[in-house]
Amino acid sequence: MTVGLGGLCVQGVAGKGITWMITVEATHWSHAFPFTEEPSLYTVKALFILDNDGNRLLSKYYDRELYPSIKEQKNFERNVFNKTHKADNEIAFVEGMTVVYKSSIDLFFYVVGSAQENELMLVSVLSCLFESLSQILRKNVERRCLLDNMEGVFLIVDEIIDGGVILESDPQQVLQKVNYRADESPLSEQSVAQVLQSAKEQIKWSILK
Amino acid sequence: MIKKFDKKDEESGSGSNPFQHLEKSAVLQEARIFNETPINPRRCLHILTKIIYLLNQGEHFGTTEATEAFFAMTRLFQSNDQTLRRMCYLTIKEMANISEDVIIVTSSLTKDMTGKEDVYRGPAIRALCRITDTTMLQAIERYMKQAIVDKVPSVSSSALVSSLHMVKMSYDVVKRWVNEAQEAASSDNIMVQYHALGLLYHLRKNDRLAVTKMLNKFTKSGLKSPFAYCMLIRIASKLLDETEGGHDSPLFDFIESCLRNKNEMVVYEAASAIVHMPNCTARELAPAVSVLQLFCSSPKAALRYAAVRTLNKVAMKHPSAVTACNLDLENLITDSNRSIATLAITTLLKTGSESSVDRLMKQISSFVSEISDEFKVVVVQAISALCQKYPRKHSVMMNFLSNMLRDDGGFEYKRAIVDCIISIIEENPESKETGLAHLCEFIEDCEHTVLATKILHLLGKEGPRTPQPSKYIRFIFNRVVLESEAVRAAAVSALAKFGAQNDDLLPSVLVLMQRCMMDSDDEVRDRATFYMNVLQQKQKALNAAYIFNGLSVSIPGLEKSLHQYTLEPTEKPFDMKSVPLATTPITDHKSDITPVSSSKLPDKLTPSRQDIYQEQLAAIPDFQGLGPLFKSSEQVQLTEAETEYVVRCVKHTFAGHMVFQFDCTNTLNDQLLQKVVVQMEPSESYEVVTYIPASSLPYSQPGSCYTLVRLPEDDPTAVSCTFSCTMKYLVKDCDPNTGEPDDDGYDDEYVLEDLEVTVADHIQKVLKANFGAAWEEVGDEFEKEETFALASVRTLDEAVGNIISFLGMQPCERSDKVPENKNSHVLFLAGVFRGGHDMLVRARLALADGVTMQVTVRSGEETVVDVILASVG
């Protein structure tokens, strides 16, 4: 039976309440002792992108026992944001979790792992995310551009992490798998209308001249 | 309908969010265009993005509306737009738990997963596995096996990771894919290698032999993926830990060799693994410490952080091993990342000499306001450790702590400071008055009720015994005037203690009490009235019983007993002795301090272990009428760790009986045990009354059987006994895979280790906050004294430890700590003997060649005194 992070989750259901109770006591002490975690591929606990007001643009929580409700999640994001948005320090420790982060213009990217997690693994996820986004956004890593290409962002995150497991950490591989191109000149209804509008204007001006 | 580019937004520039004013109902309305022919991929794509965005923001979708949108979405599989298809997969995954009948997309996904388009195959597998349950998994098993060994890395990785997710749900099916996973592990692709390793380990982790084989194979052949290396290191160090393998084993050599890997991630993982191994010698640590030292000057903040955090851990156990890094750590104390700076300073505080303490404290106070509460707690813990190491520095520390106490900070932080000050007071008697003064000042403006009551309690305990008790009265009485009910009540209790201890203060305390009797709160008034009446009697024994040492019963137990009492109308008064005693919490002051510990502890009051046992035993009809559970022992192992059956015993003591609870686990997957009992042969006149068997013990599911034993009534001094135990049961062979047992079984037995019942099983620990008062209260009616020589014991510490564990009593007045360089010591112990008799022991110890011990026992019952002395002798 293993005791989970920070004494939070208790794995392995024992048949009798007694054994369970003892685990609860153990969790109470576990914060005092460094303990070896069960080796597993579940490295990333959460990943989120916030804007410069701390609003959530995208967020994924991979461990159901960690912040199960939206309210708790947003609280955590708020807490993380308050502690990190002033200085670009790459790494912080918030609510018992290791958080690596990176900012770009008006965006903040966060990757969260347990306190025992190898910090460099988290960094490799973060930099893969950032590089891949930077590629599809043509280096314009800012809020508006990100929101305009939200589907690409969702797909990239999906290719980097699957349920907390690092699926890919090489940005080139990610881009190849996603095979997504940002809109160069979006030919939506509006833009047609805009083209027409500007054409009208030009004609108007040329007549007036 | 909100358009992608709102005109207004266009004008106002880039500050707006195209998704800002999304309405769920509007988006769902839009989703109707999924049904239009021909499909417009662009628009559909955009609507799917909006739906996923809304889900991501935490918008709640009802089952009906989600199902409707989901069904409309399935039509989009007709389009061949790549991005649209990929977004469909995402929608399926996001909606898997909120929509109904998601399985209707199974055939579409199966088609994509086995189709020609490689871009679709990986994501299709992951989406499919998200919506699959155990029964459906059988249907796609063939495809999964093929996908695991597929030559396209993304397909293979997706299949492996999805299999890993499904192990929890359908272990038995996924287990059959081991061979495919094995094949994938030798793939050239680094991620496939990593995922295959992870899945293989997960399937085999309960089979130590298989794990060992797997490790051997991979450590020899070498891997390409740094992630896979990290995983191997973790598996190796877990195996080392479990097998308690020496550090000369090939596993340790493997971990050490990873220190020379060219990838930093692997090097750090190896260093961290070595640092976390128990019983590492300084020589074994040295290479790990030196790579961490190199990392300290890395330009990457994350790496510096990782290194200094790990060094901090090393410093707790082996400060000398880290001394070599002092110079590098000094450079980090001005790091712009305050977390790194704090960790560096706290590490230096552990490794540095006494002379550097002042300088470091000054440095840290310059930026303490900038760091997060978590790290402030780390600083406080470092100071606490430092005070134990350099007691002479307590005045510097005390100053620093009191400054921190005045700053802003959360509850956890303040509590850490208060705990630290309290521990300093307890360690250094000369710091008591300054410490109490700081705490008094703190409660003048303290918003945390818990801390205020805690400090008031401490003042009540320590204040009356200081040279000038009168100066604390003002601080305490201010609380009665200004604070909330809970704090006022605590203040009244503290005041009463001053009145009881100091005769010259008694008149003033009585006047103050009189004022408290007019309080608006019931609890405060009740307490004041109660103490007023006790104090007016001016009797030492009353003071001791009702003011200094409160009730020692378990609160849930008391509640239950009182409830029971009100149910049965009776003339008899309620008997306090029928209430189970509170189990004293283990107060281990020397708990290891992790530098960065999780502060998320469950705050709710959990019932004690004993209350849970009490409930479980009460549910068994044979044990009714035994009275309240008096004591439950710790678990005793009756088997070796690596045997077919694992049996542990908990001894439950009642007034006239004992119940032995055997927690048994069957570790053989081809056997089912039935009618399991543990037969016991006592050495003394104990009498086995009944056996309650565990009806069935399937593989790896723990079960309990019980044995009820009557204690000898005629000879109350027979407190110790040895039982020889044999487990008897009916074995049925069964199929290891299905667990289906054969019809016929045969009887068998298994010899367990002997079980000892000692005097400690009859005694419950009780903490007397004021031992002197309790000693007077019991009186010397049944006092006995005897002197013993403990020949085999060499130090006072050892003697104190032996006596405490032998008698199982609670040390009081911190007398379990022997001051250094003393050759005599007095140990005070308090407890309650089975049947509810208070007993106190005073042991005077003197160190000569061996240790000489003079034991004085007091109790309200003569037999109890005899039992104790007889058992010691």
Side-chain angles (χ1 to χ4, degrees):
Chain A
M1 185 174 305
T2 46
V3 178
L5 311 166
L8 249 193
C9 47
V10 181
Q11 260 180 27
V13 181
K16 290 270 169 183
I18 309 158
T19 3
W20 183 80
M21 188 54 215
I22 290 157
T23 354
V24 169
E25 282 185 355
T27 59
H28 207 79
W29 291 101
S30 62
H31 70 287
F33 305 101
F35 52 92
T36 38
E37 254 185 288
E38 181 75 27
S40 93
L41 298 189
Y42 294 95
T43 307
V44 181
K45 297 282 172 197
L47 176 153
F48 44 89
I49 305 176
L50 307 180
D51 68 9
N52 57 350
D53 296 321
N55 295 318
R56 163 195 284 202
L57 299 179
L58 178 152
S59 78
K60 295 292 244 175
Y61 286 77
Y62 299 107
D63 186 343
R64 265 182 216 161
E65 302 188 25
L66 179 81
Y67 310 119
S69 76
I70 291 285
K71 200 174 157 219
E72 289 167 283
Q73 293 178 1
K74 292 209 166 165
N75 267 339
F76 176 64
E77 285 162 29
R78 168 68 42 193
N79 198 358
V80 168
F81 182 75
N82 288 341
K83 284 187 175 143
T84 53
H85 76 284
K86 278 182 218 128
D88 201 0
N89 279 330
E90 280 185 46
I91 188 159
F93 189 79
V94 187
E95 297 185 21
M97 312 293 288
T98 303
V99 180
V100 295
Y101 62 102
K102 191 170 173 66
S103 67
S104 168
I105 311 178
D106 50 2
L107 289 174
F108 290 83
F109 300 87
Y110 298 91
V111 175
V112 182
S114 83
Q116 282 77 27
E117 195 46 74
N118 185 328
E119 289 84 349
L120 301 183
M121 277 191 170
L122 301 175
V123 169
S124 77
V125 172
L126 179 69
S127 48
C128 175
L129 172 73
F130 190 80
E131 294 283 308
S132 314
L133 289 178
S134 167
Q135 289 270 343
I136 64 157
L137 305 178
R138 297 204 180 75
K139 304 257 188 288
N140 292 325
V141 188
E142 43 105 14
R143 180 166 169 274
R144 182 61 200 241
C145 197
L146 183 101
L147 285 168
D148 286 342
N149 294 286
M150 209 56 200
E151 55 271 25
V153 182
F154 284 131
L155 291 178
I156 281 179
V157 171
D158 181 60
E159 283 297 347
I160 297 177
I161 302 163
D162 186 82
V165 179
I166 304 176
L167 202 56
E168 184 55 74
S169 68
D170 176 1
Q172 291 315 317
Q173 292 292 326
V174 172
L175 291 168
Q176 204 188 329
K177 286 182 194 173
V178 171
N179 193 18
Y180 173 87
R181 295 177 61 82
D183 301 341
E184 193 110 41
S185 53
L187 226 87
S188 55
E189 303 152 68
Q190 294 96 324
S191 54
V192 174
Q194 277 161 16
V195 172
L196 283 177
Q197 180 71 25
S198 66
K200 266 186 203 163
E201 297 269 297
Q202 274 178 5
I203 295 166
K204 205 159 68 185
W205 280 108
S206 60
I207 295 170
L208 283 172
K209 262 182 209 167
Chain B
M1 180 167 142
I2 284 107
K3 296 187 176 148
K4 193 170 183 180
F5 291 106
D6 209 66
K7 278 227 177 80
K8 239 190 205 161
D9 292 348
E10 197 81 330
E11 283 157 15
S12 65
S14 65
S16 59
N17 177 349
F19 296 99
Q20 198 156 35
H21 304 293
L22 279 189
E23 287 251 355
K24 180 180 72 178
S25 51
V27 175
L28 289 173
Q29 192 78 26
E30 276 184 278
R32 294 200 176 155
I33 66 151
F34 292 168
N35 291 319
E36 280 171 19
T37 349
I39 293 167
N40 178 344
R42 283 206 70 83
R43 287 185 63 193
C44 295
L45 178 62
H46 193 59
I47 294 162
L48 281 186
T49 311
K50 284 181 188 167
I51 293 177
I52 297 180
Y53 184 85
L54 282 177
L55 284 168
N56 213 279
Q57 289 294 324
E59 186 84 43
H60 176 76
F61 279 66
T63 313
T64 329
E65 52 190 8
T67 312
E68 208 168 288
F70 186 86
F71 273 67
M73 183 275 301
T74 56
R75 247 201 103 240
L76 303 181
F77 271 90
Q78 291 173 8
S79 162
N80 279 327
D81 184 278
Q82 256 192 29
T83 315
L84 181 61
R85 181 71 59 87
R86 299 286 312 272
M87 287 304 278
C88 287
Y89 299 147
L90 280 194
T91 319
I92 293 170
K93 289 205 271 187
E94 294 287 338
M95 288 203 165
N97 295 328
I98 42 179
S99 164
E100 280 174 344
D101 299 327
V102 284
I103 51 167
I104 58 152
V105 288
T106 305
S107 63
S108 307
L109 289 174
T110 319
K111 210 172 107 207
D112 283 354
M113 143 182 194
T114 53
K116 288 202 184 72
E117 285 272 18
D118 285 345
V119 228
Y120 291 158
R121 292 173 61 202
I125 292 173
R126 289 188 278 129
L128 180 59
C129 290
R130 183 69 62 87
I131 57 167
T132 300
D133 59 23
T134 308
T135 46
M136 277 166 49
L137 190 57
Q138 316 257 6
I140 57 160
E141 184 173 2
R142 190 162 55 94
Y143 303 121
M144 286 301 289
K145 280 183 169 178
Q146 282 168 5
I148 291 175
V149 294
D150 199 282
K151 61 182 190 310
V152 180
S154 70
V155 175
S156 179
S157 273
S158 293
L160 286 164
V161 173
S162 301
S163 311
L164 181 66
H165 295 324
M166 289 190 299
V167 168
K168 280 184 220 107
M169 176 183 86
S170 348
Y171 176 80
D172 291 325
V173 180
V174 180
K175 199 173 61 184
R176 298 199 287 257
W177 309 344
V178 157
N179 289 335
E180 282 76 15
Q182 189 81 50
E183 195 181 326
S186 44
S187 157
D188 281 341
N189 183 284
I190 56 168
M191 291 319 280
V192 174
Q193 215 173 51
Y194 171 56
H195 296 139
L197 177 66
L199 179 61
L200 280 175
Y201 173 69
H202 211 72
L203 292 173
R204 289 172 173 172
K205 66 182 171 192
N206 293 323
D207 181 351
R208 194 170 293 164
L209 195 67
V211 174
T212 316
K213 269 191 199 156
M214 186 174 85
L215 270 177
N216 277 342
K217 183 173 165 235
F218 289 121
T219 50
K220 283 209 185 78
S221 64
L223 295 163
K224 280 188 193 162
S225 156
F227 291 125
Y229 259 110
C230 291
M231 183 73 186
L232 271 188
I233 292 171
R234 288 182 199 182
I235 300 173
S237 67
K238 180 154 199 294
L239 200 64
L240 263 181
D241 188 42
E242 282 175 354
T243 53
E244 285 158 15
H247 295 165
D248 46 357
S249 95
L251 290 176
F252 186 81
D253 293 343
F254 163 70
I255 298 178
E256 202 180 23
S257 75
C258 289
L259 288 173
R260 294 181 290 279
N261 194 293
K262 48 184 191 301
N263 193 305
E264 282 171 344
M265 189 194 290
V266 179
V267 177
Y268 169 61
E269 185 73 44
S272 160
I274 293 177
V275 165
H276 283 106
M277 275 176 205
N279 330 317
C280 236
T281 62
R283 204 172 54 82
E284 286 158 341
L285 277 173
V289 169
S290 57
V291 301
L292 292 172
Q293 184 177 7
L294 276 180
F295 288 161
C296 279
S297 44
S298 160
K300 294 182 197 156
L303 194 51
R304 293 200 302 275
Y305 172 89
V308 69
R309 196 166 82 98
T310 316
L311 284 174
N312 194 317
K313 280 184 195 140
V314 184
M316 275 188 278
K317 278 195 207 144
H318 304 274
S320 54
V322 190
T323 330
C325 311
N326 275 3
L327 207 60
D328 305 78
L329 291 169
E330 290 276 353
N331 289 331
L332 292 181
I333 59 180
T334 48
D335 200 295
S336 62
N337 186 325
R338 292 309 187 198
S339 311
I340 296 178
T342 315
L343 285 168
I345 291 180
T346 49
T347 313
L348 282 170
L349 285 175
K350 287 177 198 128
T351 62
S353 62
E354 193 165 355
S355 58
S356 61
V357 168
D358 294 299
R359 186 172 56 86
L360 290 169
M361 297 298 279
K362 210 167 173 185
Q363 179 78 36
I364 205 164
S365 40
S366 69
F367 66 78
V368 79
S369 56
E370 290 173 46
I371 57 179
S372 66
D373 269 15
E374 275 95 350
F375 281 101
K376 284 183 187 163
V377 174
V378 175
V379 174
V380 175
Q381 286 170 341
I383 293 172
S384 170
L386 207 58
C387 292
Q388 285 177 1
K389 202 166 143 199
Y390 303 121
R392 276 189 296 155
K393 284 282 167 198
H394 68 79
S395 61
V396 185
M397 308 294 170
M398 197 62 101
N399 250 331
F400 183 73
L401 288 171
S402 68
N403 283 333
M404 284 173 105
L405 209 47
R406 280 185 213 117
D407 288 343
D408 292 337
F411 170 68
E412 287 295 332
Y413 170 48
K414 296 281 162 151
R415 188 174 68 176
I417 303 176
V418 169
D419 286 348
C420 183
I421 294 185
I422 292 178
S423 79
I424 295 178
I425 294 176
E426 285 174 345
E427 299 285 331
N428 306 285
E430 64 265 42
S431 67
K432 191 187 276 179
E433 284 196 58
T434 27
L436 288 180
H438 288 312
L439 292 176
C440 280
E441 187 195 329
F442 174 61
I443 53 169
E444 286 285 289
D445 184 21
C446 168
E447 60 199 304
H448 308 291
T449 310
V450 182
L451 291 181
T453 48
K454 185 171 185 168
I455 292 171
L456 284 169
H457 180 74
L458 180 82
L459 284 176
K461 203 172 120 212
E462 300 290 346
R465 291 190 257 179
T466 54
Q468 265 189 298
S470 58
K471 69 178 175 193
Y472 300 104
I473 301 276
R474 176 170 69 85
F475 291 102
I476 297 174
F477 193 69
N478 277 350
R479 305 280 66 72
V480 179
V481 184
L482 299 168
E483 299 276 357
S484 65
E485 294 81 11
V487 180
R488 293 208 300 271
V492 169
S493 302
L495 272 182
K497 287 183 187 152
F498 280 85
Q501 181 94 15
N502 306 88
D503 290 336
D504 46 336
L505 286 179
L506 184 60
S508 337
V509 168
L510 286 177
V511 171
L512 294 176
M513 278 293 168
Q514 216 130 32
R515 287 195 53 184
C516 298
M517 283 163 71
M518 284 175 280
D519 196 279
S520 58
D521 183 71
D522 288 349
E523 172 71 21
V524 180
R525 269 201 316 273
D526 289 353
R527 282 197 194 193
T529 316
F530 174 73
Y531 288 129
M532 182 86 185
N533 285 305
V534 175
L535 287 173
Q536 278 170 339
Q537 305 300 315
K538 294 184 182 161
Q539 286 182 24
K540 279 253 147 54
L542 280 180
N543 286 351
Y546 296 110
I547 297 182
F548 293 126
N549 301 317
L551 282 177
S552 54
V553 293
S554 124
I555 301 297
L558 178 62
E559 188 183 341
K560 230 169 278 161
S561 308
L562 284 172
H563 181 64
Q564 200 61 38
Y565 182 76
T566 53
L567 288 183
E568 298 160 9
T570 162
E571 291 297 304
K572 278 195 297 183
F574 179 71
D575 183 11
M576 209 54 188
K577 283 193 178 147
S578 68
V579 181
L581 292 167
T583 37
T584 346
I586 318 140
T587 41
D588 185 2
H589 290 290
K590 281 185 197 149
S591 59
D592 267 347
I593 301 151
T594 9
V596 186
S597 64
S598 158
S599 54
K600 296 175 74 184
L601 287 176
D603 272 336
K604 63 169 192 250
L605 180 82
T606 43
S608 75
R609 189 170 142 257
Q610 186 163 336
D611 291 328
I612 291 186
Y613 282 135
Q614 163 102 13
E615 201 130 287
Q616 284 174 347
L617 293 176
I620 299 171
D622 295 67
F623 299 153
Q624 274 163 10
L626 296 184
L629 175 59
F630 178 72
K631 180 178 186 177
S632 295
S633 73
E634 294 295 313
Q635 281 195 334
V636 185
Q637 293 276 4
L638 294 183
T639 51
E640 303 278 326
E642 307 262 317
T643 44
E644 300 94 307
Y645 312 114
V646 178
V647 181
R648 287 182 285 235
C649 178
V650 182
K651 298 173 270 185
H652 301 291
T653 314
F654 290 86
H657 296 80
M658 286 189 86
V659 170
F660 299 93
Q661 171 182 343
F662 298 94
D663 295 328
C664 318
T665 312
N666 167 14
T667 64
L668 299 176
N669 62 359
D670 56 354
Q671 281 193 358
L672 171 74
L673 306 189
Q674 289 184 329
K675 297 179 194 155
V676 185
V677 291
V678 174
Q679 192 165 8
M680 303 179 76
E681 297 289 340
S683 65
E684 305 285 325
S685 56
Y686 284 45
E687 180 198 343
V688 176
V689 183
T690 44
Y691 293 108
I692 296 174
S695 57
S696 136
L697 267 191
Y699 163 60
S700 86
Q701 287 177 24
S704 301
C705 59
Y706 302 89
T707 306
L708 175 64
V709 169
R710 183 180 295 129
L711 298 171
E713 281 163 25
D714 44 341
D715 181 12
T717 54
V719 287
S720 53
C721 180
T722 307
F723 291 90
S724 48
C725 305
T726 316
M727 182 159 86
K728 299 200 166 179
Y729 45 86
L730 179 73
V731 186
K732 285 187 176 172
D733 292 326
C734 60
D735 183 338
N737 288 323
T738 60
E740 200 61 44
D742 290 351
D743 291 336
D744 302 324
Y746 52 91
D747 287 318
D748 202 351
E749 58 179 53
Y750 188 81
V751 179
L752 304 173
E753 282 174 34
D754 287 353
L755 182 69
E756 302 269 353
V757 172
T758 62
V759 63
D761 290 317
H762 302 270
I763 297 172
Q764 181 67 276
K765 292 179 175 189
V766 170
L767 181 71
K768 298 282 184 199
N770 189 328
F771 187 84
W775 186 255
E776 294 305 320
E777 180 200 340
V778 172
D780 56 1
E781 191 182 350
F782 299 111
E783 181 182 282
K784 281 196 184 167
E785 196 166 78
E786 229 169 297
T787 308
F788 304 91
L790 309 171
S792 60
V793 185
R794 290 275 150 251
T795 65
L796 287 177
D797 258 335
E798 197 185 341
V800 167
N802 283 352
I803 298 167
I804 293 171
S805 67
F806 178 75
L807 288 177
M809 294 171 73
Q810 177 68 34
C812 298
E813 308 274 336
R814 297 178 64 77
S815 61
D816 52 330
K817 295 208 170 173
V818 183
E820 277 173 54
N821 308 325
K822 285 267 182 71
N823 45 18
S824 67
H825 183 66
V826 188
L827 175 67
F828 301 114
L829 296 171
V832 170
F833 194 78
R834 176 167 55 82
H837 309 294
D838 261 327
M839 49 182 278
L840 300 168
V841 171
R842 186 182 65 199
R844 293 176 203 248
L845 303 164
L847 185 67
D849 268 343
V851 174
T852 317
M853 171 172 79
Q854 185 194 45
V855 181
T856 316
V857 187
R858 283 186 178 188
S859 170
E861 255 306 301
E862 190 166 13
T863 44
V864 174
V865 178
D866 291 338
V867 166
I868 298 299
L869 283 179
S871 66
V872 175

